[in-house]
Amino acid sequence: NAGVTQTPKFRVLKTGQSMTLLCAQDMNHEYMYWYRQDPGMGLRLIHYSVGEGTTAKGEVPDGYNVSRLKKQNFLLGLESAAPSQTSVYFCASSFGVSVGRLRELFFGEGSRLTVL
Amino acid sequence: AQKVTQAQTEISVVEKEDVTLDCVYETRDTTYYLFWYKQPPSGELVFLIRRNSFDEQNEISGRYSWNFQKSTSSFNFTITASQVVDSAVYFCALSEASAGGGADGLTFGKGTHLIIQP
């Protein structure tokens, strides 16, 4: 019953440091997403992937990179962290386009990142 | 471009009152999908409902009900006889069918913080 698992759950970085958030799903989902949640802003899409080896930019991609080397994993990287990247990050996954399983996103528990 | 507006930033009611959360959306697609998610104080996102644009029937699930009206581009959520456990942030979201087959995820509103006072 793991579903979508994010690691780490909490992290504090200094400006300029790098880090990677790992998202793993065990539901054999094709699509995976990274969102960030900021107060009063809702959830905004950073990057997404429609399958192993493919990634695409979302609404707020600057300052982030992603990789999907394995179908079950989706990594979000910050090469040089900035205070503006202080946020709660959510990973999500969903089935590919198939009738009856349309677009419901399954979310991880979130990762709280603070950049000092 | 798709857009979801939740005009109510915060709502506070006393337990047992009924409360309606508003959601207005914008889309050029004729086929689209609407969602509601709940985010309790613990932080996780809980899926509540999905509705496609061809199904305008209202839905009821226990104390929860949803009113979908294409004529006003609204998908409102009502909690009847609210309880303290309903306190959470509620998000409305939209996915367009033409947007890469839905691959580019959901567009979320900014959320409504619902406070149920005992």
Side-chain angles (χ1 to χ4, degrees):
Chain A
N1 294 331
V4 179
T5 303
Q6 295 180 224
T7 52
K9 299 289 191 295
F10 301 93
R11 184 74 186 270
V12 178
L13 290 176
K14 294 181 179 179
T15 297
Q17 287 185 320
S18 64
M19 75 158 295
T20 299
L21 294 174
L22 170 63
C23 177
Q25 53 94 3
D26 61 2
M27 297 174 281
N28 201 33
H29 284 169
E30 288 295 330
Y31 297 171
M32 296 187 74
Y33 309 85
W34 276 108
Y35 286 87
R36 60 177 288 173
Q37 183 181 16
D38 303 292
M41 298 297 292
L43 282 84
R44 294 180 292 169
L45 183 64
I46 304 171
H47 285 280
Y48 64 97
S49 167
V50 299
E52 183 177 319
T54 70
T55 63
K57 295 180 180 180
E59 180 186 356
V60 288
D62 294 342
Y64 304 95
N65 57 76
V66 288
S67 65
R68 183 106 181 263
L69 299 180
K70 294 182 179 181
K71 184 178 182 179
Q72 63 268 31
N73 295 338
F74 194 30
L75 278 64
L76 178 70
L78 286 72
E79 290 187 349
S80 180
S84 61
Q85 294 176 304
T86 293
S87 187
V88 179
Y89 292 85
F90 285 95
C91 177
S93 67
S94 70
F95 292 104
V97 178
S98 65
V99 176
R101 292 179 173 177
L102 290 171
R103 302 184 179 86
E104 174 187 339
L105 264 59
F106 295 80
F107 284 89
E109 295 181 342
S111 298
R112 184 175 295 275
L113 175 64
T114 301
V115 183
L116 303 175
Chain B
Q2 54 188 356
K3 182 179 179 181
V4 177
T5 301
Q6 296 180 254
Q8 305 151 309
T9 303
E10 183 174 290
I11 300 174
S12 181
V13 300
V14 177
E15 197 172 21
K16 297 184 182 178
E17 288 185 3
D18 299 346
V19 58
T20 295
L21 309 182
D22 297 333
C23 174
V24 175
Y25 61 92
E26 296 177 24
T27 177
R28 295 179 180 178
D29 273 19
T30 56
T31 302
Y32 52 88
Y33 307 87
L34 296 163
F35 301 79
W36 277 94
Y37 281 84
K38 174 182 180 180
Q39 186 176 43
S42 52
E44 73 273 22
L45 285 154
V46 179
F47 168 79
L48 294 178
I49 189 172
R50 174 187 63 243
R51 173 68 71 218
N52 71 56
S53 54
F54 297 108
D55 183 0
E56 289 193 71
Q57 284 189 336
N58 292 332
E59 178 146 346
I60 299 175
S61 177
R63 296 183 296 106
Y64 295 173
S65 61
W66 290 268
N67 183 356
F68 176 32
Q69 292 194 341
K70 290 178 72 172
S71 61
T72 56
S73 297
S74 65
F75 187 43
N76 297 339
F77 173 32
T78 297
I79 300 175
T80 303
S82 60
Q83 299 177 2
V84 172
V85 293
D86 296 326
S87 296
V89 179
Y90 291 87
F91 292 98
C92 181
L94 166 71
S95 174
E96 294 176 328
S98 65
D104 53 354
L106 305 180
T107 296
F108 284 83
K110 294 184 178 181
T112 297
H113 184 198
L114 177 62
I115 301 168
I116 310 298
Q117 299 179 0

Short mmCIF file of all heavy atoms in Angstrom, two decimals, chain A residues 47 50 63 98 106 113:
data_model
loop_
_atom_site.label_atom_id
_atom_site.label_comp_id
_atom_site.label_asym_id
_atom_site.label_seq_id
_atom_site.Cartn_x
_atom_site.Cartn_y
_atom_site.Cartn_z
N HIS A 47 7.48 20.27 -13.32
CA HIS A 47 7.82 19.42 -14.45
C HIS A 47 6.94 18.19 -14.41
O HIS A 47 6.40 17.84 -13.36
CB HIS A 47 9.29 18.97 -14.40
CG HIS A 47 10.30 20.00 -14.75
ND1 HIS A 47 10.61 20.34 -16.05
CD2 HIS A 47 11.10 20.76 -13.96
CE1 HIS A 47 11.57 21.26 -16.04
NE2 HIS A 47 11.87 21.54 -14.79
N VAL A 50 5.69 11.80 -19.09
CA VAL A 50 4.64 10.91 -19.61
C VAL A 50 5.15 9.50 -19.81
O VAL A 50 4.43 8.63 -20.32
CB VAL A 50 4.04 11.44 -20.93
CG1 VAL A 50 3.40 12.81 -20.69
CG2 VAL A 50 5.08 11.51 -22.03
N GLY A 63 14.96 26.81 -12.50
CA GLY A 63 15.71 26.49 -11.30
C GLY A 63 15.63 25.02 -10.90
O GLY A 63 16.25 24.61 -9.92
N SER A 98 -6.56 6.44 -20.48
CA SER A 98 -7.39 5.27 -20.73
C SER A 98 -8.74 5.53 -20.10
O SER A 98 -8.84 6.02 -18.98
CB SER A 98 -6.77 3.99 -20.17
OG SER A 98 -6.69 4.03 -18.78
N PHE A 106 -2.56 10.73 -7.94
CA PHE A 106 -2.27 10.17 -6.63
C PHE A 106 -1.05 10.90 -6.10
O PHE A 106 0.00 10.90 -6.75
CB PHE A 106 -2.01 8.68 -6.72
CG PHE A 106 -3.20 7.88 -7.17
CD1 PHE A 106 -3.53 7.81 -8.51
CD2 PHE A 106 -3.97 7.20 -6.25
CE1 PHE A 106 -4.64 7.08 -8.93
CE2 PHE A 106 -5.07 6.46 -6.66
CZ PHE A 106 -5.40 6.40 -8.00
N LEU A 113 10.80 21.87 1.99
CA LEU A 113 12.17 22.33 1.75
C LEU A 113 12.29 23.78 2.18
O LEU A 113 11.49 24.63 1.79
CB LEU A 113 12.52 22.20 0.27
CG LEU A 113 13.87 22.76 -0.17
CD1 LEU A 113 15.00 22.00 0.49
CD2 LEU A 113 13.99 22.74 -1.68
#
